[in-house]
Structures are given as C-alpha cells and as structure tokens.
Amino acid sequence: MEKSEIVGVLEEIAELLELKGENPFKVRAYQSGARALETLEEDLGAVIEEDRLGKIKGIGKALVEKITTLHETGELEYYDKLKASVPESMIELLTIPNLGPKKIKKLHDELGIDSVESLKAACEAGKVAEISGFGAKTEQKLLSGIANREAYQARHHWWKAASVAEPIVEGLRELPEVERAESAGSLRRMRETVGDLDFIVASTKPKPVMDWFVGLDTVSEVTAHGHTKSSVRFQDGLQADLRVVPPEQFAFALLHFTGSKDHNVRMRQRALERGWSLSEWGLFDKDSKPEDPDRKSVIAAETEEQIYAKLDMKWVPPELREDRGEIEAGETGDFPQLIEVEDIRGVFHNHTTASDGHNTLEEMTVAAEELGLEYLGIADHSKASFQASGLDEDRLAAQVEKIRALNASGKFKCHVFAGSEVDILKDGSLDFDDDVLATLDYVVASVHNALTLTEDEMTKRIIKAIENEHVTMLGHLTGRLLLRREPYAVNVGKVIDAAIANDTIIELNANPWRLDMDWRHWKNAVDKGLLCAINPDAHDTDGLALFVAGINVARKGWLEPKHILNTRPLAEVKQYFGVE
C-alpha cells in the first residue's frame, strides 16, 4: 500500500475511534501518526527497511507495526474489525457538513441518532437545538446540509463519470455489430457534474449490443432491457441509458441527446424557420407525418457538421451548447480558438508534504517533468491553515531556499516557482506580512475560514486582499466543494472587476471538487480583460494531471490560450512574475 493510502487509513481509524468515544489520546495518536507520515519526505519503504520508522516523532511502536503491515500487505485486521464495529449509517453522518465525529457521538449518546434519517427527524422535531453546544442555528445548518446531500446523491463529478463512460464507449466500439459509438448528454458537454450517462450507438443489429451492455460486470441493476434502449445502474450509483439507432440516424440522435435542452430548442426553431422539423430521427418537412411511409430526412447526414451546415451554421463544439451565444457565433463562424490540453506549459498552486500534500517537493517536480511541463508552482498553506499544517515564516523561508537550490542544481528541466497559498483573514488582511510575501515568486490568496460572512462582508474581504500588491492570483473564488458544500456568499462581478483593476489573476481551480471560478463567469470576465491561471491544486503527484478537468471548464467558458497565463513559455512567465 502506498504512503498516501496508509495516511488515509490512519485518518479514518482516528475518526472511527472518535465515533466510538475512545480515549482522546488514542485518537490523537492516530491523527499525529497520519500527519507525521504525510510529511515524511523519504521513501517509506526504505525507512521501514532500515528500521527507522519508530524514530520519527509522532509514530510509536504500535503505529510502526500497523504502518509496516499496511505497507507490506495492504491489509490491517485491526482496521477491518474497527470499521465493522461501527454501523455504516453512522459513518454516513460524516458526509453532513458541520458534523464531525465528536458531535455525532454526542447526538448518538443523547438522542440515539445513528443515521442521516434519524438526524433529519430529530432536527425537524427541534430536538437537536435543545442539546448543549448545538442550538437552533446549528440545527438549521444540519437540515440544509442533509437537503443538499440528498440533492447531490443524484449527481456525480464529471471526472468520475468520464472514468466510467470511457471504457464502455471503447468496449462498444470493439463490438462487431457496432459502426459508431459516442457518449452524449451532460458528459459530452463537459458539465461540472453529471446526472446520468447517455450512450448512442449506430448498428443494424441492436440485440447483441444490448445484451453486452446489460451484462457488464459493473452493472448492479438492469432497469430496462429493450430492443433499441436499455437502462442500467452501476455499482457506484451512476445510471446509464444506451440507445441503438440505424446508422443514418446516428448524427441526429447524437445531436439531440447531447443537448442542452435550451440549445435543442434554438436548433428546432431554426429548422422550423426553414420549413423543416428537427428531431433525433432526422430533419423532415415540417408538414410531414411520422407515420408516413414515404417520409425521408431532408439530408442524409453522416455528421453533426452536416446538420449544422444545413441550418446555415458552423458546427458548435459540444461544451458550448448551453444557449449562451453559440447559436449567434455559429451563424458567423466567429468561435474562439478554444484552449487544448496541449496548450498548458506548466501549473501553479500545488502542495507538498510541507503542508497537507502527500508527496515531497522532489517527487512533485519529477511528476511535473514526466507530464512534460516546463514549470511547476509550489504554494503550500500558510500558518493560519493549521489544520493543513500551514507553514510559518521560518518554514516558508526554508522551503524557498530549498526550491532555489533545486533550480540551481540543474537536476530538473522543469523550473519550480516558490509561492504560498496565503490565507485571506477575516478582515481581508493576509496571513504573512508584505516583507515575507516579497520573497516569493508568486502568491495565491485564498479564503479557508469564516465562510458564513454576508455577501457584502465577504466581497470586501476578498477585494482588500486583491488590492495587496504582492497577491498574484486569487484561489478558488467561491470556496465551493461540488456535491458537498455550497459556495459562500460573494459578489463575483465585483471581485472580477477588482481583479482586473489590480492586475490580479483569478485561478480556475481544476480540482474536480471545485472547478472554481465557475464556467458561467469566464466569457464575460476575459472579454473585460481578466487573466486566468488553470491550477490543479494538486496534493499529490497524480493530482497534477487534474489540470485537464480545468481545460473542460475553460472551454465551456469560451477561453482561448491567450487568456491563460500557464499557456505561456517559461521565459514569459518569469517575466510576468518579475523573477530571473
């Protein structure tokens, strides 16, 4: 088992122990052990082999044995038994915002709450507000969190949905009966979250295709198994529909089931204006009847491009099909040169084991170089983010010195920029003084606490930070965690205007949980002159590749390479940062 996975197990053990009301010192031992292991910059295997694990502060004899067992076997009987001793419904309570193990234990002891359902009932009855340490406001927050959770369960991150869909499309294309196969729906449009999956297949022999689909190993439930349409639910909860159409209808079906609903309405209107009726079956004379045996499509379209052309338009990229100006752009062909994955030269806002990352500076640099990146920006947390082991001034200075030495060594072609993700404090001031910020190549300013301020207070707080001359870019503007936490109240338009006025970048945080700033704001923002940086906010080496999720959002926001700092070569970025 890898180090990052072991850290996760230790953290979960601490949570489970806390849920059971175990000795706080025992809980803290696992928390400290997880943190000590997380910040270990050496190879864990070598440390274990050389019998040095027990010499690391925070890792006692019992933890040495457990970590070694996990590393060597990937299993731990103690963890399995502990997990089995806590009802799954209790563990689910941890998914409710503002509800940690201690509060869950108290709710269980005083009200017998052991599930999301029993928590909801107790809140609705006003019982939770009566418990010391909770109150009416907390009770309402819990009800809001439960409501959001219920709504979120119906949706999935694009990144997760794509990982499910891609092998299915590949499998469909390999079937001898299949001529063409594509994903459609919100996945193809690259929406940040996906409700279900839609697959469109061209075939004259649908039965074997349907049988293959419903027989997939990952299918937990078949809800429909028809001749031309089947529906299933996968083991991870995702639902999917497969439609098999004759080859001559494929382009029309793909266009229709890609959507969006609003885009389709506009397209049907264009067809009607020209005397036609557009549907998933074809483009027909508007006065013809579906039951007419002589009914034929106006065009035999093999591609979507041919359908758009017949309606006097250029093909619209799927990610733009949201009725936000793409119809008008299609009439003139005035589409942006949308950013591509290959345009990215480097990434900023990444974490190491110095704060809450899972890999060392060197490991992150190696991974960036393997991705073919010219530069890597490190931005570990500042001291106010104590929960993430934020760096104080001395630790930051030591890290900067280490980065400078790494660059000077010539060991890597990938240049490393020394930065910091500095907390924006409640009053809008920054977690480091200006003289400290001046030692850095770049600064990411982010909000991590006091998320319940009013819109006016939060907006003023962020704008004050933006006005600091040392702030290079603003991190995750709204603080949202998709399918987990709503954005805090903030006037996005005012923040954008302030960023432009102060030559401050707003990042597009590419972590699939964030994708923040939202794609709906980007087109107008860059038209006004805002500069973007697509940042993966990586906490491990694998996370560096998450910038691809940011590319999706950037494309939905009509962004071109010229709008994005990290499409520039290293020399230009150095010049922008004012470093040698």
Side-chain angles (χ1 to χ4, degrees):
M1 186 178 283
E2 296 295 323
K3 184 183 75 172
S4 59
E5 296 175 292
I6 298 173
V7 169
V9 170
L10 297 181
E11 289 173 340
E12 191 173 348
I13 288 174
E15 285 186 336
L16 293 169
L17 290 172
E18 207 163 2
L19 282 174
K20 288 172 69 72
E22 289 282 354
N23 188 313
F25 294 103
K26 191 174 183 181
V27 173
R28 201 170 300 124
Y30 281 95
Q31 292 171 336
S32 299
R35 189 62 210 133
L37 192 60
E38 194 172 45
T39 56
L40 177 66
E41 297 197 356
E42 297 181 72
D43 177 72
L44 177 59
V47 172
I48 291 173
E49 189 176 338
E50 296 167 11
D51 198 26
R52 292 189 288 114
L53 191 57
K55 297 177 182 178
I56 297 173
K57 185 179 179 181
I59 300 180
K61 182 180 179 181
L63 276 181
V64 168
E65 293 176 0
K66 290 180 172 66
I67 291 170
T68 302
T69 300
L70 283 167
H71 182 71
E72 293 177 353
T73 70
E75 297 179 355
L76 183 64
E77 185 180 6
Y78 173 77
Y79 168 62
D80 293 337
K81 287 184 176 179
L82 179 63
K83 197 170 183 179
S85 71
V86 180
E88 187 69 30
S89 59
M90 284 275 285
I91 297 173
E92 284 182 10
L93 286 167
L94 290 166
T95 65
I96 306 298
N98 305 305
L99 198 58
K102 285 182 180 178
K103 286 186 175 180
I104 293 172
K105 179 69 168 56
K106 190 167 188 178
L107 288 169
H108 182 262
D109 290 347
E110 300 202 20
L111 295 176
I113 290 171
D114 60 359
S115 67
V116 175
E117 290 73 22
S118 59
L119 173 63
K120 183 179 180 180
C123 287
E124 289 175 341
K127 295 180 180 179
V128 172
E130 298 172 357
I131 300 177
S132 174
F134 283 80
K137 187 177 287 188
T138 298
E139 188 173 71
Q140 286 305 309
K141 284 183 179 179
L142 292 176
L143 279 172
S144 176
I146 292 169
N148 286 338
R149 178 182 180 274
E150 291 172 350
Y152 293 158
Q153 281 181 330
R155 301 197 66 81
H156 305 264
H157 293 105
W158 182 93
W159 197 259
K160 174 186 175 183
S163 70
V164 173
E166 286 169 5
I168 293 175
V169 172
E170 290 174 6
L172 286 167
R173 288 172 178 166
E174 290 174 359
L175 297 177
E177 298 85 3
V178 172
E179 295 185 24
R180 299 169 69 182
E182 293 286 353
S183 291
S186 51
L187 180 75
R188 188 172 181 233
R189 297 202 319 278
M190 298 184 180
R191 291 290 291 242
E192 59 272 35
T193 62
V194 173
D196 52 24
L197 300 177
D198 294 280
F199 301 104
I200 311 298
V201 163
S203 175
T204 57
K205 298 176 181 178
K207 187 179 185 305
V209 182
M210 289 298 176
D211 291 344
W212 177 87
F213 181 64
V214 300
L216 288 169
D217 292 340
T218 51
V219 169
S220 62
E221 180 184 4
V222 178
T223 54
H225 186 186
H227 183 65
T228 59
K229 180 187 174 183
S230 291
S231 301
V232 302
R233 184 188 299 276
F234 295 112
Q235 292 166 357
D236 59 6
L238 257 171
Q239 298 184 79
D241 293 336
L242 169 65
R243 290 175 173 85
V244 178
V245 300
E248 64 270 19
Q249 290 180 10
F250 180 82
F252 295 99
L254 182 61
L255 175 64
H256 176 82
F257 288 108
T258 294
S260 67
K261 179 181 177 181
D262 292 334
H263 181 82
N264 286 352
V265 167
R266 294 289 303 277
M267 292 290 285
R268 289 197 296 270
Q269 287 173 343
R270 286 186 76 83
L272 288 171
E273 289 166 2
R274 289 156 177 77
W276 303 316
S277 172
L278 176 65
S279 71
E280 64 264 42
W281 301 291
L283 185 66
F284 304 98
D285 185 285
K286 67 178 180 181
D287 296 324
S288 66
K289 304 296 182 184
E291 62 270 18
D292 183 352
D294 297 323
R295 189 180 191 229
K296 289 185 178 180
S297 179
V298 173
I299 55 168
E302 293 185 4
T303 66
E304 288 182 321
E305 285 87 344
Q306 291 171 317
I307 302 172
Y308 280 101
K310 189 66 177 177
L311 297 177
D312 304 313
M313 291 177 63
K314 295 290 186 183
W315 179 76
V316 178
E319 51 269 55
L320 300 188
R321 299 179 195 176
E322 303 287 353
D323 192 20
R324 295 174 64 86
E326 77 276 8
I327 298 293
E328 293 74 14
E331 292 175 341
T332 61
D334 189 22
F335 283 114
Q337 178 197 338
L338 295 179
I339 183 168
E340 304 281 355
V341 171
E342 296 75 20
D343 294 321
I344 294 296
R345 304 285 195 96
V347 290
F348 310 108
H349 188 172
N350 302 290
H351 300 268
T352 72
T353 50
S355 63
D356 61 346
H358 298 296
N359 289 97
T360 65
L361 170 64
E362 289 80 4
E363 288 169 343
M364 294 293 281
T365 308
V366 168
E369 197 158 278
E370 288 176 349
L371 284 172
L373 300 178
E374 294 179 33
Y375 46 88
L376 170 71
I378 298 299
D380 276 309
H381 288 284
S382 63
K383 59 184 184 296
S385 286
F386 56 88
Q387 78 287 348
S389 296
L391 282 65
D392 60 18
E393 289 80 357
D394 290 340
R395 291 177 63 212
L396 178 62
Q399 185 185 60
V400 171
E401 185 176 343
K402 187 174 183 179
I403 289 172
R404 302 280 188 253
L406 187 73
N407 287 329
S409 71
K411 184 178 179 181
F412 300 104
K413 293 180 181 178
C414 181
H415 180 85
V416 182
F417 287 108
S420 174
E421 184 180 15
V422 181
D423 270 41
I424 301 175
L425 305 181
K426 189 174 180 179
D427 65 355
S429 61
L430 299 174
D431 197 23
F432 287 133
D433 292 336
D434 286 354
D435 58 342
V436 174
L437 299 177
T439 66
L440 302 171
D441 296 332
Y442 77 109
V443 173
V444 182
S446 303
V447 170
H448 289 112
N449 56 25
L451 307 183
T452 58
L453 298 180
T454 66
E455 179 180 301
D456 185 56
E457 290 170 332
M458 185 65 80
T459 304
K460 288 178 179 177
R461 172 189 187 180
I462 292 174
I463 289 176
K464 181 178 177 181
I466 286 173
E467 290 172 343
N468 184 297
E469 63 176 326
H470 297 292
V471 171
T472 315
M473 59 187 75
L474 177 66
H476 41 76
L477 168 58
T478 71
R480 74 180 184 184
L481 293 176
L482 289 165
L483 308 182
R484 184 185 292 176
R485 183 176 73 199
E486 292 296 302
Y488 44 67
V490 61
N491 188 315
V492 173
K494 286 186 177 180
V495 173
I496 289 171
D497 289 342
I500 294 169
N502 289 277
D503 293 324
T504 302
I505 296 166
I506 292 182
E507 78 166 5
L508 197 169
N509 189 297
N511 186 297
W513 286 93
R514 293 189 182 275
L515 301 180
D516 187 12
M517 185 168 74
D518 189 274
W519 59 267
R520 295 161 184 83
H521 298 295
W522 278 109
K523 185 177 186 297
N524 289 335
V526 296
D527 285 347
K528 292 166 71 173
L530 181 68
L531 185 61
C532 170
I534 297 177
N535 296 331
D537 196 356
H539 285 69
D540 55 33
T541 53
D542 289 341
L544 289 171
L546 292 176
F547 75 85
V548 176
I551 297 293
N552 294 355
V553 174
R555 289 175 65 87
K556 284 195 76 64
W558 298 60
L559 267 61
E560 302 181 50
K562 66 182 180 181
H563 299 136
I564 300 162
L565 177 67
N566 41 326
T567 61
R568 302 180 186 182
L570 175 60
E572 289 186 25
V573 174
K574 282 185 174 182
Q575 184 178 20
Y576 183 88
F577 286 163
V579 300
E580 296 181 0

